[in-house]
Every structure is written in C-alpha cells, then in structure tokens.
Amino acid sequence: MIECSVCHSKIASPTSKTISRAYDRHRSHLSSKTRFLNVLLVGGDCVLVGFQPILVYMSKVDGGFKFSPISVNFLTEVAKVIFAITMLLFQARHKKVCEKSLLSISSLVQAARNNVLLAVPALLYAINNYLKFIMQLYFNPATVKMLSNLKVLVIAILLKMIMKRRFSIIQWEALALLLIGISINQLRSLPEGTTSFGLPVATGAYLYTLIFVTVPSLASVFNEYALKSQFETSIYHQNLFLYGYGAIFNFLAILGTAIFKGPNSLDILQGHSKATVLLICNNAAQGILSSFFFKYADTILKKYSSTIATSFTGIASAVLFGHTLTINFVLGLSVVIISMHQFFSALSEVKDEKQSGSLEMMDSQDSKRVCTLDSN
Amino acid sequence: MIECSVCHSKIASPTSKTISRAYDRHRSHLSSKTRFLNVLLVGGDCVLVGFQPILVYMSKVDGGFKFSPISVNFLTEVAKVIFAITMLLFQARHKKVCEKSLLSISSLVQAARNNVLLAVPALLYAINNYLKFIMQLYFNPATVKMLSNLKVLVIAILLKMIMKRRFSIIQWEALALLLIGISINQLRSLPEGTTSFGLPVATGAYLYTLIFVTVPSLASVFNEYALKSQFETSIYHQNLFLYGYGAIFNFLAILGTAIFKGPNSLDILQGHSKATVLLICNNAAQGILSSFFFKYADTILKKYSSTIATSFTGIASAVLFGHTLTINFVLGLSVVIISMHQFFSALSEVKDEKQSGSLEMMDSQDSKRVCTLDSN
C-alpha cells in the first residue's frame, strides 16, 4: 500500500491479480507459526537424510542387499499406514469437545470420497520405484544422479501448469542455479572420462530420460495438488489414503513379480535384518515428512531442504572423518545457498500472491478459533 | 512514477535519495544512445580479447619471448599516447564553430590541472605490471588465475567505498556468482592434485595475494573515479594525461632496471617482431577501450565483458577446431550469464540512482544541444 502525497488516500500496488487456490488462501496467513513449522520440517529432513547413508551401509551384507527391493517399498508403505492409523487413534483420544472424531465412519467415508485423487501420486510413486531399477541398466549411476537434477526444473514447470504457481524471473534463475550448484558438486564424483558431455546417445535413452525425470516430478506435484486442494481434510486422513493406495499398488507389483518369477517373491520378509527395519522406518519417516512438506510448505522447499541436508552430511563427514572439502563442493554449495536466498527472499517473491485472501477461508478459520476458545 | 487512483496526480516512488556524483547525473539521462555505446564497447572488447591469445602465440619464438616484458608495457603506453594525440588532432580539425579547440594551450593547461588525479591509476597500473611477475614466483599460473577472480568482489567493495555506488543484495549475489562461474570454468585447467584447496600457505603468500588482488582493483576504480569526477573534460585530454603518466612511470622503471641490470635493458626495441607490434597495438586498443568503459559505463561492465569475451573465444575455438566443450565450461558460463542478467536487470537495480538529475547538468546539456542546432 502506498499513500498518495497529494490527497493522502491509500492506493493499492498497480499489479494485483487473484489466484483462487486453497493453498494461496492459506499462505496469505503466513505466520511465525508457519515459519517455525518450515524450520522443523527442514531440520527433520536433514536428520533423516543424514542417517540414510549410514543405514544403507549397515543394511549391506557382503557388499550387497539380500532382500528384494520391491519388498522394501511395500514394507515402507505399510509402516506409513501404521503411522497414519496411530496418529488417527491419538487424535481421536485427545480431540477437543466440539471436534468431530476423525475415526467415525462418516468422516472416513467423506474424506475417502474427497481424496480419491491421492491414488494418482501413489500410482506414480509406485511406477517410479520400478523406473529407478530400469534406469540403472541404461545409464551409469553418476549420469543418473546428474539427470535427476533436472527434476527441479520439471517440478517448477509442473507447479506452474498444475498448481498455477507463478515464479518471478529471479526465481526461475534461482532454480537454474540450484540445478547448476548440485551439478558442480557432483562433478568430482563423475569418472575421469565423463568430464566432457558423457550422456549416452543410444536410441531410446532420451525417451527413458524424459520418463525418468517426469514421472517422479509429476508424482510430487500431483501429491502437492491432491493434498492442498482438499486442504480442509485432516492430513492424517490424507496420509492414510495416500499410503493405503501406495501399499495396494506395491502389493499388486509383488503379486505381478510372483506370477513372472515364481512364488518365492511372495516371501517379503526374506533377507531382512534389524538394520533393514531401521532403514524402512527412516524411509517411512521421510515419506511422512514429505506429505507435511507438500501440504504445509511446497515441493521446492523440499528440494532445497534435501540439497542442504546432503551438504550438511558432506560437511559433517569432512569434520568427523577428516576429509578435505573439494573446491567443487565449496563452489556448488555457495551457488545453492545464493539460489536459496534468491528463491525465498521477499524481493523476488511474486507479490500478487499475498493479496488473495478470501472470505470463506476467513470464516472457517474464525469458527475454528471460536471452538478453541470454547474448549479452553 | 505511480498515478494516484483517487486524485490522478503523479507521485514519486517513496524511496528517493540523491547521490551527488557527476556520473550519476550522467546516468540519469541513460538513453538508447548510451545503450548502443555499451554494446559497441562490449563488442569491441570481445574482438580485441579474442585476438589476444592468437597474437601471444604468434609473438613466441621457440616457445618463449625474446623481448623484455617491461618494454612491452612502455611501448603500449607510447602507442596509447600517440592514439590520444591523433584523436585530439582529428577533433581539432572537425570541431564545431562554437566549440573550443582541445589543443589550445589554455584548455590543455586547465585539463592537466583538473586531472592530476589520473597519475594515481597510472602509477598503480605500473606497479601492477611488476606484481604480475613477482606473483608467478610464488604461485603457479592456475592459482594466480583463480586468485585474480577475487578482483570482482574487491572492485565492488572499492566502488562502494570510493565511488559511493550502491548495490542491491541481488547485485552482490550476482557478483559472487560471477566469481564462482569463472572459477568453475577454470577448474578443468587446474592440475589433478589441486582439486582440493590448493592454496599455498607459505608465510607472506597471503600478503602477496592481498596486494596482488587489491592493487589492480584500486587502479581500475581510481581510474573510473578520476575519469568520471572530471566528466566535463574531454576523454581525449584525459587519455593523453593518463597514458602520458603511464609512459613516464614505465620509463622510470626501465631506467631503474638499467641501473640494476646494466645498460642492455635500455634497448627497448630488442627482440620485437611484426607480431609483437600487433600485440602491442592490441594491448593499446584494449587500454583505450577500458578508459571509454570506465568513463561512460563502469568497471563491472568491463569485467562482465571480458568474461563473456573469453567464453566466446572458448566457443569459437570449439566450433573452429572441433574441441568438445567441457561440462565445467557449460555450467560456469550458465552461472555467468544468470549473474549478468541479475546484475543488470532493472528489477535488482538500486532504484534511487535514477532520481538524481541536477539542474547544472541539464543546463550544460541544453547549451550543447543549442550549439549542435546552430552548427547544423
């Protein structure tokens, strides 16, 4: 708001359009609480991502995995379903007087009906788990790592198309810088021969790359869309359905492999140890954290968070085990940090978003506040 | 300017401070002509920088140089003085009726008196020419190349201190990105062993680094300051004095080495060929272009220009000689281009600068315009 120097009337900034999305309404009430939640999410993500390589190392027996990778995906989904049910039970016990129980049949049925869309990301995630294995047949792991950086840009394009999010030029540049920063950091891990463009030109490889990059990006963005478009549904309900669908799709996959490879594949607990159980729990916790990211923050914050988490792991391992930080790491991390600041700095934010408060949302928030006052 | 929606009066942007520098007044009249000049400067710089490595290659005899490097510096200054005098003669012949001749004794004396400050950058440049040789004793060439990237940031800090220029946060970040982008590009040329921090820790090395980075930066910024603070003096006068001082300082250096190393050093034409004459002319042209950069654009545009010029040389040599572009080159250039866009984009510009028009300047411009009309 600017005050006119002549007549002293308040006038609005000339550029203001309204984006009618549930999340934008939510965002217009960005409070210190939300910021605290974001810090918690990023902090949690850092811890979980940091433990990941240790658990993977511990799960290896004689340098390899004894268990079927499909079983890990299935068990992870089951663990997430158990977590969602536990949270629902917990909420039912501690619910306030005027709140409706989330476990009542009517509320479950209504939530299930409203959140059918969650089956889409669940299916896409399941497909992505298979693609990962296929990709390793066509590309070496370093190339796969490089290619997966492209996801950042694909996610941004999908967010623009599906979520109607708008990015300023500085924000697009920040995303490009994130991509470049991660790539610089990975350069050192590339084999000697591949310092010049080492992408394979085998027929079909480009198609696989496109699919490999697009499917997980679509999954994340659809997940964000599904979780936010039904913003009023409890996240515990949404988690229950999302992971339920995930478990079903992964179970179908296990049945499918049992048909092709014989009934041995049905023994999903084969080859598991205490370490793999911890790995599954870590995977599950990361998945649950993701859905909080997607609902209350966004996919891009999740990307930045993972990058910073990986960098912290690098710094920690350098401090603990006396490794030297490579100049690539330092340059790459600098680019990522600048990119992060540019993406989230108020200067570059598309300012219009803040002007989309809506009366319905205000009403529902007010009624909640009244309820809280009553129960106190 | 924003129009009030109530009373339709035009109101100024709320944040406006005045910086009282001759250049800022000049900048407030940024026209398409100025932009055209900038394009010409960058284009010319690209051509001259592109020819540089070819001429250096041609000047080598049996893989080394037969001539004394000090003689090159002295002859370059002399070439620049000759150019400045030629331009003054040219201007004197084609001057308009109401213009004062730049070659008249009175105007020369007055310009010399006003531009004594130009001796400072001339001295600093002369010192820098020696430092370059000393540095090569302490650091390997790759490290020198890396260290000289730090000049960008030092120049920015000096511009802030001496020229009172103000940069937005995005612009500071853009400068850091420029530094990082150039470094990424240079990583491939570093020897294998130096991928981790390869800076030498010899006592005094840090001091030499500080001097090595600060002296040329100070020279550029003082040059910009001296040229712009006497904005009314013709650039041909300013060039004459700047290069005159330069020739004097380099001649003193030749005398100095003659005292220490014997009279052989006085034979400044020893070991020169047609190729070295071309090299000296190229150096001189680059120097002259620099002073146009410093007076009508700025030191930072010069830095970006040189970086883009080097990149074009890289791309041209890849296209002409069938080299493959390394992934470092592509990533580094991407960062530099993003940095350049961010630095010069209107969004990130410190907006206050545009509001510092002054009546005196307007008057002098108006009188010039009248003069032009008369002469037509």
Side-chain angles (χ1 to χ4, degrees):
Chain A
M1 295 298 281
I2 301 159
E3 201 185 79
C4 171
S5 56
V6 180
C7 63
H8 296 285
S9 53
K10 305 266 182 202
I11 50 172
S13 164
T15 53
S16 63
K17 285 177 193 169
T18 324
I19 307 162
S20 55
R21 295 259 153 232
Y23 174 60
D24 287 332
R25 277 180 249 142
H26 165 72
R27 258 181 77 114
S28 63
H29 302 279
L30 253 179
S31 61
S32 57
K33 197 179 152 193
T34 323
R35 284 186 191 281
F36 179 69
L37 181 73
N38 281 356
V39 171
L40 261 190
L41 285 175
V42 174
D45 201 40
C46 284
V47 172
L48 295 173
V49 170
F51 270 110
Q52 179 88 3
I54 302 167
L55 293 173
V56 167
Y57 178 79
M58 283 165 63
S59 303
K60 279 186 181 171
V61 179
D62 303 329
F65 300 107
K66 296 280 177 195
F67 52 85
S68 136
I70 308 168
S71 75
V72 172
N73 295 332
F74 175 68
L75 290 172
T76 303
E77 294 302 317
V78 171
K80 289 194 249 177
V81 169
I82 293 169
F83 174 82
I85 293 172
T86 313
M87 285 310 294
L88 283 172
L89 287 170
F90 188 80
Q91 194 272 348
R93 189 173 291 177
H94 292 80
K95 79 179 170 68
K96 280 146 200 164
V97 182
C98 65
E99 271 178 355
K100 207 175 164 188
S101 169
L102 293 176
L103 279 174
S104 72
I105 301 291
S106 68
S107 73
L108 269 173
V109 169
Q110 209 208 325
R113 207 176 281 160
N114 287 340
N115 290 274
V116 176
L117 211 61
L118 285 169
V120 180
L123 179 63
L124 288 170
Y125 280 126
I127 295 173
N128 186 44
N129 289 335
Y130 293 97
L131 279 177
K132 276 183 190 167
F133 295 106
I134 294 172
M135 280 301 285
Q136 287 175 2
L137 302 178
Y138 284 87
F139 300 97
N140 67 51
T143 317
V144 170
K145 231 176 162 187
M146 275 283 185
L147 286 174
S148 51
N149 297 341
L150 289 172
K151 275 190 235 169
V152 185
L153 287 185
V154 176
I155 284 174
I157 293 166
L158 291 174
L159 279 176
K160 190 180 158 67
M161 285 163 56
I162 297 170
M163 295 287 291
K164 310 282 179 219
R165 276 211 37 198
R166 291 190 294 159
F167 301 106
S168 66
I169 296 170
I170 295 282
Q171 282 181 314
W172 282 111
E173 288 176 343
L175 291 174
L177 287 175
L178 175 63
L179 167 67
I180 295 167
I182 303 171
S183 305
I184 297 164
N185 189 11
Q186 287 169 359
L187 277 184
R188 81 204 137 134
S189 58
L190 277 181
E192 276 308 295
T194 49
T195 27
S196 58
F197 273 130
L199 301 187
V201 279
T203 326
Y206 287 115
L207 190 71
Y208 279 113
T209 308
L210 191 74
I211 296 170
F212 171 69
V213 170
T214 312
V215 170
S217 308
L218 260 178
S220 299
V221 175
F222 256 111
N223 202 351
E224 186 174 335
Y225 180 81
L227 288 170
K228 279 182 183 158
S229 65
Q230 292 294 322
F231 204 82
E232 301 75 31
T233 312
S234 158
I235 189 155
Y236 305 118
H237 271 161
Q238 292 181 317
N239 276 348
L240 181 67
F241 302 125
L242 179 64
Y243 307 141
Y245 289 125
I248 293 167
F249 288 125
N250 277 291
F251 187 68
L252 289 177
I254 289 172
L255 284 184
T257 44
I259 293 167
F260 282 101
K261 294 188 177 172
N264 260 357
S265 329
L266 281 176
D267 184 9
I268 52 172
L269 294 175
Q270 192 189 21
H272 283 280
S273 64
K274 274 178 198 166
T276 61
V277 171
L278 283 175
L279 184 65
I280 287 166
C281 288
N282 188 294
N283 280 349
Q286 283 190 47
I288 291 158
L289 210 64
S290 296
S291 66
F292 279 88
F293 260 108
F294 294 144
K295 180 147 184 175
Y296 296 109
D298 57 45
T299 316
I300 301 221
L301 183 67
K302 175 87 186 76
K303 273 277 147 205
Y304 274 106
S305 167
S306 307
T307 311
I308 294 294
T310 320
S311 306
F312 273 132
T313 317
I315 293 171
S317 87
V319 171
L320 291 175
F321 308 113
H323 298 158
T324 45
L325 292 174
T326 62
I327 203 161
N328 284 51
F329 180 84
V330 176
L331 291 177
L333 186 60
S334 311
V335 173
V336 168
I337 289 170
I338 292 175
S339 149
M340 196 161 175
H341 175 256
Q342 292 186 342
F343 193 87
F344 293 105
S345 76
L347 264 170
S348 61
E349 236 178 71
V350 183
K351 282 158 200 162
D352 315 359
E353 284 190 358
K354 298 222 166 172
Q355 307 244 337
S356 52
S358 133
L359 275 175
E360 318 152 39
M361 188 64 187
M362 295 290 283
D363 285 346
S364 78
Q365 285 230 336
D366 284 348
S367 62
K368 255 187 208 158
R369 222 166 282 145
V370 172
C371 169
T372 323
L373 285 169
D374 281 349
S375 64
N376 282 348
Chain B
M1 295 297 281
I2 301 160
E3 201 185 80
C4 170
S5 56
V6 181
C7 64
H8 296 284
S9 54
K10 305 268 183 201
I11 50 172
S13 165
T15 52
S16 65
K17 285 178 192 167
T18 324
I19 307 162
S20 56
R21 294 261 153 229
Y23 174 61
D24 286 331
R25 278 180 248 142
H26 164 71
R27 257 180 76 114
S28 63
H29 302 281
L30 252 180
S31 59
S32 57
K33 197 178 151 194
T34 323
R35 285 188 189 281
F36 179 69
L37 181 73
N38 281 357
V39 171
L40 261 189
L41 286 174
V42 174
D45 202 40
C46 284
V47 172
L48 294 174
V49 170
F51 271 110
Q52 180 88 4
I54 302 167
L55 293 173
V56 168
Y57 177 80
M58 282 166 62
S59 303
K60 278 185 181 171
V61 179
D62 304 328
F65 299 107
K66 295 281 177 195
F67 53 85
S68 137
I70 308 166
S71 74
V72 172
N73 295 332
F74 175 68
L75 291 172
T76 303
E77 294 302 317
V78 171
K80 289 195 250 179
V81 169
I82 293 169
F83 174 83
I85 293 172
T86 313
M87 286 311 293
L88 282 173
L89 288 170
F90 187 82
Q91 194 273 348
R93 189 173 289 178
H94 292 79
K95 79 179 170 68
K96 279 145 199 165
V97 183
C98 65
E99 273 178 355
K100 206 176 165 186
S101 169
L102 293 177
L103 279 174
S104 72
I105 300 293
S106 68
S107 73
L108 269 172
V109 168
Q110 207 207 327
R113 205 175 285 160
N114 287 341
N115 290 275
V116 176
L117 210 61
L118 285 169
V120 180
L123 179 62
L124 289 170
Y125 279 127
I127 294 172
N128 186 44
N129 289 334
Y130 293 96
L131 280 177
K132 277 184 189 167
F133 296 105
I134 294 172
M135 280 301 285
Q136 287 175 2
L137 302 176
Y138 284 87
F139 299 96
N140 68 49
T143 317
V144 170
K145 232 178 162 185
M146 275 281 187
L147 285 174
S148 50
N149 298 340
L150 289 172
K151 276 189 234 170
V152 184
L153 287 185
V154 176
I155 285 174
I157 293 166
L158 291 173
L159 279 176
K160 190 179 159 69
M161 285 164 57
I162 297 171
M163 297 285 293
K164 310 282 178 220
R165 277 214 31 200
R166 292 190 292 160
F167 301 106
S168 65
I169 296 170
I170 293 282
Q171 282 182 314
W172 282 112
E173 288 176 344
L175 291 174
L177 287 175
L178 176 62
L179 167 67
I180 294 168
I182 303 171
S183 305
I184 296 164
N185 189 9
Q186 285 170 0
L187 277 185
R188 79 200 139 136
S189 59
L190 276 181
E192 276 308 294
T194 48
T195 28
S196 58
F197 272 131
L199 300 188
V201 279
T203 326
Y206 288 114
L207 191 70
Y208 280 113
T209 308
L210 192 74
I211 297 170
F212 170 68
V213 169
T214 313
V215 171
S217 307
L218 259 178
S220 298
V221 174
F222 256 111
N223 202 350
E224 186 175 334
Y225 181 81
L227 288 170
K228 279 182 182 156
S229 66
Q230 291 297 320
F231 203 82
E232 302 76 30
T233 311
S234 158
I235 189 155
Y236 305 117
H237 272 161
Q238 291 180 318
N239 276 348
L240 181 67
F241 301 127
L242 178 65
Y243 307 141
Y245 289 126
I248 293 168
F249 288 126
N250 277 292
F251 187 69
L252 290 178
I254 290 172
L255 285 183
T257 45
I259 293 168
F260 282 100
K261 294 189 179 173
N264 258 358
S265 325
L266 281 176
D267 185 10
I268 51 171
L269 295 175
Q270 192 188 20
H272 283 280
S273 63
K274 275 178 196 165
T276 61
V277 171
L278 284 175
L279 184 65
I280 287 166
C281 289
N282 187 294
N283 280 349
Q286 283 189 47
I288 291 157
L289 210 65
S290 295
S291 65
F292 278 88
F293 260 107
F294 294 144
K295 180 147 185 176
Y296 296 108
D298 56 45
T299 317
I300 300 220
L301 183 68
K302 175 87 185 76
K303 272 278 149 206
Y304 274 107
S305 167
S306 308
T307 311
I308 293 293
T310 321
S311 306
F312 273 132
T313 318
I315 294 171
S317 85
V319 171
L320 292 174
F321 308 114
H323 299 158
T324 44
L325 292 175
T326 62
I327 204 161
N328 285 50
F329 180 85
V330 176
L331 291 177
L333 184 60
S334 310
V335 173
V336 168
I337 289 171
I338 291 175
S339 148
M340 195 164 178
H341 176 256
Q342 291 185 343
F343 192 87
F344 293 105
S345 77
L347 264 168
S348 60
E349 237 176 71
V350 184
K351 280 157 198 162
D352 314 1
E353 285 191 358
K354 296 224 165 169
Q355 307 245 335
S356 52
S358 133
L359 276 174
E360 318 152 39
M361 188 64 187
M362 295 290 281
D363 286 345
S364 77
Q365 284 231 336
D366 284 346
S367 63
K368 254 187 209 160
R369 223 166 280 145
V370 171
C371 169
T372 324
L373 285 169
D374 283 348
S375 64
N376 283 347

